[in-house]
Amino acid sequence: MTAFKTLSEKPWIWSFLGMIAIWAATAIYTGGKGSADVITAALSFATFTAIVGVGQMFVIATGPGNVDLSIPSTIALSGAVAMKVMDGSNAMLPVGAAASLGCGLAVGVLNYLLIRVLRIPPIIATLSSSFLILSTAIAYGRGLKIKPPPLLAEFTTAQVWGLPVLALFFAVFAFGMSVVLNRTIYGRSVLAIGQNMRAARLAGIKVERTRFLTYALSAVLAATCGFLLAGFSGGASLNMGQEYLLGSIAVVVIGGTSVAGGKANLPGILGASMFMFLLVTMLNTFGASAGVRLVMTGLIIVAVITIAGGEDAQS
Amino acid sequence: MNADRLEIVTLQGVARRFGAVRALDGVDLSVLRGQCLGLVGHNGAGKSTLMNVLAGTLNADRGVLRIGDAEVQGFSAAVAKANGIRCVFQELSLCPNLTVAENTRIFHAALSGRGWRGRAKALIRAKLDEIFPGHGIDPGDMVGDLSIGKRQIVEIACAFTQTETPLRLVILDEPTSSLDAVTSKQLLEFVRKEVDGGLACILISHVLGEVLDYADEIVVMKDGLIVAQDDAATFTRARLVEAMGNVAKAADKDVEARRVIRGNAPVVVQANAGAALTAHQGEIVGLAGLAGHGQTKLLLDIFEATGSKRLATRVEGPVAFVAGDRQTDGVFHRWSISANVGVRSLRRMVRRGVIDPVAEAVMGDEWQRKINIKTPDMGSNILSLSGGNQQKALFARALASDAQIILMDDPMRGVDFGTKLEVYEIIRQEAARGRTFLWYSTETEELHNCDHIYVFRDGAIVADMSNAELTEEKILSHSFQETA
């Protein structure tokens, strides 16, 4: 009983419960056929959402008004640049990866400068930078029909015992980020700033350095996602990041991170990413039309946030 | 005063707990027409909880509440308001993003229809002028731009404004904690006048002199119970202190011979606000004057200048800041008490690259003992503490840190008498070990703990004096005009 109580107080539990419920509903509908395959597919796709979700989580945790809207265009730019640099050659893989990370870092610096030097609110700053980034990707876009190096394609689609290798790597990374969030000075600084920026500064926290690191982290993770996604889907495309705009924000919120800042939750991101993918799969299995699918997705997200966010509204 | 003892509100056997903390443990109290009831007690004695019950913002777990003779079921803030009960809380409740007049409107639903803005302005301006002549606040000012002292003035004036329901009881929870000597006196004189006119008032204060001078009857609370209740005239300072449970130790200020530090120790802070300010290592420097005359700004300047070479302000050594406006500048409301204490010292808790939660808990427990933070568990949320205890946690944050220079922004707001004495003692000990304190205080009594005092007026330093030269008259005269 007490175990149940402690569990029900964990904000991430709801995203996992939702994930299991939806998977069960799909499995019952199909009579259990292919439900293991659904999990494998969900793990693959959810990993990409979760990668950008982690970055978005740190940004949102730094307080109200902080959000990174440049994630989709960073994914597109990073994918395009990496594919062009590598030109399908395994030998160029490290160079491509470095180019991709470089893109991410550059975007992070740009976003931070807009926010800090020009004092533009983050939502506008990252929105406008996303136009600049996407334009760069388009101008650079001759790389779009290039296939990824075979090694990268293999790595991003490889499986062991039905589990995507990428998801396993990500699990280790997520554990590390969870430690960063809760047990490092940087993580504590993020949470302190999210609660009260003025109090954080007066408590000796390096506010500006923390904000810079946070926007840089988000952009670098988006770039990483773009690199891997291009490998996974056989090449980069300009709109491959599109679904990650709302997706990254949704998994953060469903996962139990407070939009008011100062409270973040990493396990919740994992559950929420799975939940989001399974939700769409379930509605597809039920044969719902595109319209119904969108309406249902919206309603279910609202429902989950209401249930999971109830505890937050009281405090 | 009224001969017929007309009760406005009566409480019987009221109890309330917060988790493991028993904030009220069966309290009987009645408030009469034309009475000013003084309420004193330690931080966490249950004073604010009791007032929240009276104002309808908290429900009692058990007990009876009567208004007049009628027992009230389902008492709430709306019922309290409809019966003319108002409360000025310790944690100010104005909306920072609205103007003074707009906040008045929120308070009074009757200010509706065309031209409400004008009427709200007139209403609040008249009351401000009546209670606090020379307040310098415009009804069109945004509340968030006002200093904490001015916000408190607005909150108090707002509570005394009247539209449809007549005012019968006003509860003032530490109303003078952010006010300077002059505005405090204005308020207390006004309260006295209103009470003589038939209003009832509950006055909570840690400044015992205020309660002794202005209350008709004094109630002393301890651990959720009323431990003494009597006519104010029968109380003396010593009897009050004893009733609150303090060992009546004579105020030992100025007993020991003051060390002469000025000129004998290296200068660690050098700043300028109209005139030069210097602080030497191991010195306690007081910043005096009326509230909001540039003291906080100078502290912030010094804080910003730390580690920077290009500013005129020079600071040698790590700095910590003790907030007085704790909700805006101090507490992290989602964190435990321990996390709030430890946040300034995270660097020292890192073991093998990550913060060690054990080190954090150890630091929390150590400072709970040292500064007597009243809670069963330092792991509970900081907001579970009473206001004064939250303030102690902020003190602990600065004192536990590696800071050699500690800036204090009127930090004793809401801290009780006994704790103040303890904190003064800690400050003296820490200063003797070589820490330097810059201490902005609105209480002249507190300045006697300082080695050297600078007086501020209109954002500039207008006078400075050593501890031996300090008198209340001197500070007041410098606060108001240039002495020839």
Side-chain angles (χ1 to χ4, degrees):
Chain A
M1 200 59 205
T2 39
F4 174 75
K5 194 158 173 276
T6 17
L7 263 185
S8 70
E9 278 165 6
K10 301 278 181 212
W12 48 263
I13 196 76
W14 300 104
S15 60
F16 280 89
L17 288 179
M19 169 188 105
I20 293 167
I22 284 187
W23 178 67
T26 318
I28 289 166
Y29 188 84
T30 58
K33 245 189 291 157
S35 38
D37 294 340
V38 168
I39 289 287
T40 307
L43 280 171
S44 294
F45 284 96
T47 299
F48 296 111
T49 319
I51 291 174
V52 289
V54 169
Q56 188 73 279
M57 177 190 79
F58 276 90
V59 172
I60 288 178
T62 58
N66 283 295
V67 66
D68 187 353
L69 298 185
S70 66
I71 286 177
S73 53
T74 311
I75 291 176
L77 176 69
S78 152
V81 168
M83 290 308 114
K84 179 126 191 262
V85 167
M86 294 186 290
D87 200 17
S89 137
N90 280 342
M92 289 295 281
L93 251 174
V95 185
S100 183
L101 291 183
C103 286
L105 211 53
V107 170
V109 170
L110 172 68
N111 281 339
Y112 179 73
L113 287 181
L114 290 176
I115 294 165
R116 170 85 173 132
V117 180
L118 301 182
R119 297 184 176 280
I120 305 175
I123 193 165
I124 307 295
T126 54
L127 183 66
S128 39
S129 75
S130 78
F131 288 115
L132 299 178
I133 300 160
L134 198 60
S135 306
T136 315
I138 291 170
Y140 201 79
R142 286 158 299 169
L144 293 190
K145 286 175 197 75
I146 302 170
K147 285 238 169 288
L151 205 57
L152 180 63
E154 237 166 77
F155 170 72
T156 48
T157 50
Q159 293 180 6
V160 281
W161 313 300
L163 294 173
V165 170
L166 208 52
L168 296 176
F169 272 99
F170 178 73
V172 174
F173 171 76
F175 177 78
M177 289 315 280
S178 178
V179 172
V180 166
L181 176 68
N182 296 306
R183 298 278 298 276
T184 64
I185 293 174
Y186 165 71
R188 290 292 185 93
S189 302
V190 166
L191 296 177
I193 292 168
Q195 293 174 71
N196 186 338
M197 203 197 298
R198 190 176 155 87
R201 184 171 286 129
L202 290 172
I205 284 169
K206 305 261 185 294
V207 172
E208 290 312 329
R209 187 160 80 191
T210 306
R211 292 184 84 192
F212 167 69
L213 286 174
T214 304
Y215 278 93
L217 174 70
S218 175
V220 165
L221 286 178
T224 310
C225 176
F227 180 74
L228 297 172
L229 194 58
F232 182 77
S233 45
S237 76
L238 281 174
N239 60 1
M240 71 178 177
Q242 218 159 39
E243 62 183 291
Y244 295 98
L245 177 59
L246 293 178
S248 67
I249 299 173
V251 296
V252 170
V253 179
I254 295 174
T257 293
S258 164
V259 265
K263 192 178 116 195
N265 195 296
L266 215 134
I269 300 255
L270 312 184
S273 304
M274 291 290 282
F275 170 80
M276 290 288 285
F277 180 82
L278 289 172
L279 180 61
V280 176
T281 313
M282 176 184 80
L283 294 170
N284 277 336
T285 321
F286 291 177
S289 69
V292 174
R293 221 161 51 215
L294 285 176
V295 170
M296 288 302 292
T297 313
L299 287 178
I300 290 174
I301 292 176
V302 168
V304 170
I305 292 177
T306 314
I307 298 170
E311 163 256 4
D312 197 49
Q314 282 166 22
S315 63
Chain B
M1 242 172 287
N2 270 26
D4 52 332
R5 289 173 59 89
L6 191 58
E7 273 106 6
I8 291 178
V9 190
T10 311
L11 297 175
Q12 258 173 9
V14 167
R16 166 82 202 202
R17 28 189 333 151
F18 295 101
V21 181
R22 205 172 294 167
L24 289 178
D25 203 8
V27 170
D28 302 325
L29 185 74
S30 41
V31 192
L32 312 176
R33 240 176 83 85
Q35 183 189 45
C36 179
L37 193 70
L39 183 55
V40 297
H42 276 203
N43 291 140
K47 305 182 300 291
S48 295
T49 311
L50 184 62
M51 293 309 108
N52 274 296
V53 170
L54 266 179
T57 40
L58 269 183
N59 286 323
D61 298 334
R62 58 190 166 79
V64 177
L65 188 146
R66 283 202 197 87
I67 291 186
D69 288 331
E71 186 176 332
V72 183
Q73 297 292 338
F75 192 63
S76 69
V79 176
K81 209 170 151 190
N83 282 287
I85 300 173
R86 302 276 177 78
C87 190
V88 179
F89 292 109
Q90 207 176 331
E91 310 297 349
L92 304 179
S93 59
L94 300 170
C95 304
N97 56 337
L98 299 179
T99 67
V100 173
E102 285 162 351
N103 270 288
T104 315
R105 162 68 184 83
I106 292 181
F107 208 73
H108 292 288
L111 289 170
S112 58
R114 260 176 196 285
W116 65 265
R117 206 175 284 270
R119 273 179 287 137
K121 274 188 182 172
L123 184 71
I124 189 71
R125 179 179 289 133
K127 197 49 84 177
L128 280 168
D129 289 346
E130 186 186 350
I131 310 179
F132 303 105
H135 49 79
I137 299 165
D138 187 87
D141 287 344
M142 201 65 86
V143 166
D145 297 339
L146 299 176
S147 70
I148 185 167
K150 287 193 169 170
R151 290 208 301 272
Q152 195 162 25
I153 285 180
V154 172
E155 179 112 12
I156 291 167
C158 199
F160 279 102
T161 53
Q162 204 164 324
T163 47
E164 46 196 2
T165 46
L167 213 53
R168 298 170 72 195
L169 167 65
V170 177
I171 299 163
L172 298 167
D173 192 354
E174 313 249 1
T176 58
S177 61
S178 303
L179 302 185
D180 55 54
V182 178
T183 35
S184 294
K185 197 162 162 55
Q186 287 175 338
L187 169 67
L188 293 166
E189 294 292 340
F190 174 80
V191 166
R192 200 55 248 176
K193 197 177 98 238
E194 291 288 301
V195 166
D196 291 340
L199 183 79
C201 179
I202 297 178
L203 175 65
I204 301 180
S205 180
H206 288 308
V207 185
L208 300 182
E210 290 178 357
V211 178
L212 284 167
D213 291 348
Y214 289 91
D216 301 309
E217 191 174 325
I218 297 179
V219 171
V220 183
M221 287 190 73
K222 192 185 162 191
D223 300 332
L225 288 167
I226 291 180
V227 291
Q229 182 167 12
D230 214 336
D231 273 358
T234 67
F235 277 104
T236 59
R237 201 183 179 82
R239 191 179 154 209
L240 270 186
V241 171
E242 205 182 305
M244 289 194 294
N246 276 111
V247 186
K249 77 176 149 186
D252 55 354
K253 67 187 177 204
D254 298 343
V255 177
E256 54 191 307
R258 288 255 156 204
R259 303 157 297 143
V260 182
I261 295 165
R262 213 136 262 255
N264 296 335
V267 172
V268 289
V269 178
Q270 209 162 42
N272 202 301
L277 175 146
T278 53
H280 299 66
Q281 192 183 354
E283 194 175 35
I284 306 174
V285 175
L287 311 184
L290 298 179
H293 274 249
Q295 299 95 331
T296 302
K297 186 177 174 299
L298 184 77
L299 291 180
L300 291 176
D301 283 350
I302 293 171
F303 186 83
E304 294 291 324
T306 312
S308 161
K309 289 268 176 275
R310 61 205 158 87
L311 295 166
T313 309
R314 240 188 63 220
V315 184
E316 312 278 344
V319 170
F321 188 91
V322 183
D325 188 351
R326 57 179 168 269
Q327 300 310 336
T328 312
D329 298 346
V331 303
F332 295 108
H333 62 277
R334 287 186 188 278
W335 281 354
S336 69
I337 308 164
S338 287
N340 266 284
V341 170
V343 62
R344 177 65 180 72
S345 312
L346 291 175
R347 214 164 293 280
R348 270 190 292 151
M349 299 175 191
V350 175
R351 311 261 182 284
R352 284 191 231 112
V354 294
I355 295 168
D356 178 8
V358 177
E360 188 168 38
V362 166
M363 176 180 275
D365 290 341
E366 180 191 340
W367 282 89
Q368 176 178 26
R369 271 197 314 280
K370 278 193 188 167
I371 206 165
N372 196 13
I373 296 172
K374 198 173 166 182
T375 175
D377 180 9
M378 287 293 279
S380 21
N381 185 281
I382 179 105
L383 295 185
S384 69
L385 293 177
S386 72
N389 276 297
Q390 288 178 30
Q391 199 64 49
K392 286 194 224 169
L394 297 185
F395 256 109
R397 182 192 291 173
L399 293 174
S401 75
D402 61 354
Q404 282 308 301
I405 300 160
I406 296 182
L407 310 174
M408 306 197 287
D409 182 22
D410 201 7
M412 298 294 187
R413 288 181 181 128
V415 177
D416 66 55
F417 184 73
T419 311
K420 274 184 189 172
L421 292 183
E422 285 165 27
V423 176
Y424 297 158
E425 185 56 36
I426 294 176
I427 290 173
R428 273 198 295 268
Q429 284 169 7
E430 293 292 325
R433 282 195 205 121
R435 274 181 162 174
T436 308
F437 290 83
L438 273 85
W439 186 354
Y440 162 39
S441 174
T442 46
E443 282 178 49
T444 314
E445 234 172 89
E446 241 167 52
L447 295 169
H448 284 286
N449 293 293
C450 300
D451 299 309
H452 200 88
I453 294 105
Y454 290 89
V455 185
F456 282 69
R457 180 162 51 78
D458 295 330
I461 294 168
V462 289
D464 69 296
M465 60 192 79
S466 70
N467 179 281
E469 301 164 305
L470 172 71
T471 61
E472 170 134 36
E473 292 71 41
K474 243 186 191 165
I475 292 196
L476 281 179
S477 73
H478 285 301
S479 304
F480 282 106
Q481 66 195 354
E482 207 85 70
T483 43

